[in-house]
Amino acid sequence: PILTTARFAIAALALSPFFVWKKEDQHLIRQGIELGILAFAGFALQTTALQTTTATRSAFILYLNVKLVPIILASRGEMIDIFTWINALLAVIGTALLCLG
């Protein structure tokens, strides 16, 4: 987590000259900060998890996370087309074959 913190801090400092505060963008800035915190938490948790599991398992869980998006959207009542479901299923199978096979 210390290296992850340093990595995110260096990135924030490197991009800070391009950051301009505008009153109209406060909502967008807040959302960006929230996403940054969530990304940091994900990296930090994965780094910590690597101490107790294999890199293969960790990668499988990480990439499986992306494939859960259609399921999450469907649970919120959004309509997901059949091609998205087929692609998600194929991606899960491919990830399982690469990581667990």
Side-chain angles (χ1 to χ4, degrees):
I2 293 172
L3 291 176
T4 302
T5 303
R7 182 174 139 188
F8 274 75
I10 291 169
L13 287 173
L15 294 174
S16 64
F18 303 103
F19 190 69
V20 178
W21 286 92
K22 293 182 183 176
K23 189 158 182 81
E24 311 87 49
D25 295 338
Q26 284 184 354
H27 182 67
L28 184 63
I29 291 168
R30 186 176 309 128
Q31 289 177 335
I33 290 171
E34 288 175 15
L35 286 175
I37 290 169
L38 290 173
F40 169 75
F43 279 110
L45 289 171
Q46 185 180 18
T47 302
T48 304
L50 283 172
Q51 296 173 358
T52 59
T53 190
T54 65
T56 302
R57 232 179 235 158
S58 176
F60 177 73
I61 293 168
L62 173 71
Y63 293 115
L64 187 63
N65 216 357
V66 175
K67 283 98 176 158
L68 292 175
V69 171
I71 295 170
I72 294 168
L73 292 176
S75 71
R76 293 176 49 198
E78 296 188 32
M79 293 298 298
I80 309 298
D81 63 43
I82 188 67
F83 295 109
T84 301
W85 288 117
I86 292 169
N87 288 330
L89 178 64
L90 290 173
V92 167
I93 293 169
T95 303
L97 289 173
L98 285 172
C99 292
L100 305 176

